[in-house]
């Protein structure tokens, strides 16, 4: 049975670097492991130590599998077409409003626990937060997870017809999130639909909801409680921090 391990890496990481990280996390000798890129319906590519992971060699529906060398040939890398059909059917049968409510409730439980000081710690000492930004980082991770979830569901759709239906489904879920004043999940879904892997499947669209000025104007008019788009909020805080001096004439710049 496969197990899953989350590993944060740079875009320039090579196979050897990822294998080293996995080996340390699992306490397994590095020399016993190999890294394979697998695509549906089952093509396998054994990656060499210096192969870059994020390259054209990995297709949009590819997965990375770490295997022991003696078991690298014994694997069922992807679900069969029947399971893919069932997966799509389950997703298409869900109620879009209920999904949006679930996303909003989960996001709010995290957002409501974020202290204002976490934003300051994250901006001023991003590489050494010392555990002061746990809730903030959790919500950022949640945004990434929703984006990847949307992308995965669309790419795993076996037929064009169902893929179109699923994209419409996610657009409705995003609209419901916006109606529920959850702009964090709203933008996560929009970004998932606008990733290159998804947008290349059909005509690339330019979504007006990604306009930052329109977002800020709409957010100001929203009633509370509301969940902001956290990535843009942190970008604004970083811009204020880097664009203004902390001290002016040896005095603290309180305007900053």
């Amino acid at each position: 049975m496969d197990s899953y391990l989350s590993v944060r890496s740079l875009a320039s990481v090579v196979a050897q670097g990822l294998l080293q990280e996995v080996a340390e996390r699992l306490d397994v000798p590095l020399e016993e492991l190999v890294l394979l890129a697998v695509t549906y319906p089952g093509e396998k590519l054994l990656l060499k130590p210096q192969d870059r992971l994020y390259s054209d060699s990995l297709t949009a529906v590819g997965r990375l599998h770490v295997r022991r060398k003696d078991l690298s040939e014994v694997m069922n890398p992807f679900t069969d077409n029947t399971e893919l059909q069932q997966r799509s059917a389950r997703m298409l049968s869900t109620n879009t409003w209920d999904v949006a409510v679930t996303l909003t409730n989960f996001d709010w439980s995290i957002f409501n626990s974020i202290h204002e000081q976490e934003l300051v710690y994250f901006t001023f000492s991003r590489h050494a937060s010392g555990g002061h930004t746990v809730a903030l980082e959790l919500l950022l991770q949640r945004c990434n997870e929703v984006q990847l979830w949307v992308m995965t569901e669309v790419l795993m759709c076996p037929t064009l017809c169902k893929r179109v239906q699923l994209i419409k489904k996610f657009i409705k879920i995003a609209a419901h999130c916006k109606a529920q004043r959850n702009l964090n999940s709203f933008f996560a879904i929009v970004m998932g639909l606008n990733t290159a892997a998804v947008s290349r499947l059909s005509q690339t669209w330019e979504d007006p909801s990604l306009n930052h000025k329109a977002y800020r104007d709409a957010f100001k008019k929203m009633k509370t409680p509301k969940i902001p788009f956290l990535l843009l909020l942190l970008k604004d805080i970083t811009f204020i921090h880097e664009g203004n001096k902390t001290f002016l004439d040896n005095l603290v710049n309180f305007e900053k």
Side-chain angles (χ1 to χ4, degrees):
M1 179 180 294
D2 288 343
S3 60
Y4 294 86
L5 179 67
S6 296
V7 176
R8 182 178 296 180
S9 65
L10 298 174
S12 58
V13 69
V14 296
Q16 181 76 9
L18 182 61
L19 279 176
Q20 181 69 45
E21 177 73 16
V22 173
E24 292 176 358
R25 296 275 292 275
L26 298 180
D27 194 21
V28 176
L30 175 62
E31 56 272 12
E32 292 185 6
L33 301 177
V34 292
L35 185 64
L36 299 100
V38 187
T39 63
Y40 178 80
E43 299 177 1
K44 292 185 293 184
L45 173 65
L46 180 62
L47 298 181
K48 299 178 181 178
Q50 297 306 314
D51 284 345
R52 293 185 59 178
L53 302 186
Y54 302 102
S55 65
D56 293 336
S57 62
L58 296 183
T59 65
V61 292
R63 286 182 179 175
L64 292 174
H65 287 255
V66 175
R67 281 286 191 273
R68 284 173 46 190
K69 289 182 178 179
D70 56 341
L71 296 177
S72 60
E73 296 299 323
V74 186
M75 59 187 300
N76 183 18
F78 257 91
T79 54
D80 60 29
N81 196 53
T82 302
E83 292 181 4
L84 289 178
Q85 294 279 2
Q86 293 174 348
R87 179 191 182 111
S88 299
R90 286 194 299 269
M91 187 61 206
L92 289 172
S93 65
T94 57
N95 183 285
T96 54
W97 180 263
D98 290 343
V99 174
V101 168
T102 301
L103 290 172
T104 300
N105 288 341
F106 192 91
D107 285 359
W108 178 254
S109 66
I110 303 175
F111 178 72
N112 198 37
S113 65
I114 297 176
H115 194 280
E116 294 89 339
Q117 290 182 354
E118 292 193 41
L119 300 172
V120 178
Y121 276 115
F122 189 87
T123 303
F124 282 78
S125 54
R126 188 171 303 176
H127 301 293
S129 60
H132 297 296
T133 60
V134 175
L136 177 60
E137 292 181 18
L138 185 59
L139 190 56
L140 288 172
Q141 178 183 335
R142 176 66 177 176
C143 183
N144 290 333
E145 289 173 348
V146 171
Q147 180 180 348
L148 291 174
W149 166 60
V150 171
M151 183 174 65
T152 301
E153 291 294 339
V154 173
L155 294 177
M156 292 288 285
C157 224
T159 65
L160 175 61
C161 180
K162 288 188 176 181
R163 189 180 301 135
V164 171
Q165 294 178 41
L166 191 57
I167 289 176
K168 291 181 179 179
K169 194 94 172 179
F170 277 120
I171 291 174
K172 287 184 179 180
I173 294 173
H176 291 327
C177 285
K178 186 177 181 181
Q180 296 170 22
R181 303 190 293 278
N182 178 8
L183 297 184
N184 199 59
S185 284
F186 166 73
F187 272 98
I189 294 172
V190 171
M191 289 190 299
L193 293 175
N194 277 277
T195 54
V198 174
S199 61
R200 73 179 181 84
L201 297 175
S202 58
Q203 292 184 346
T204 304
W205 61 84
E206 182 69 24
D207 197 306
S209 59
L210 292 177
N211 184 293
H212 291 171
K213 183 180 184 302
Y215 157 77
R216 291 187 175 93
D217 292 341
F219 188 74
K220 288 179 181 178
K221 297 177 182 178
M222 284 184 177
K223 298 179 180 179
T224 56
K226 52 188 176 182
I227 305 174
F229 178 38
L230 203 58
L231 292 176
L232 185 57
L233 176 61
L234 291 172
K235 179 181 178 181
D236 289 343
I237 295 175
T238 301
F239 180 80
I240 293 172
H241 168 52
E242 296 179 350
N244 296 274
K245 295 181 179 180
T246 304
F247 296 96
L248 292 175
D249 299 327
N250 294 324
L251 298 175
V252 176
N253 181 11
F254 286 102
E255 289 294 328
K256 176 179 177 179

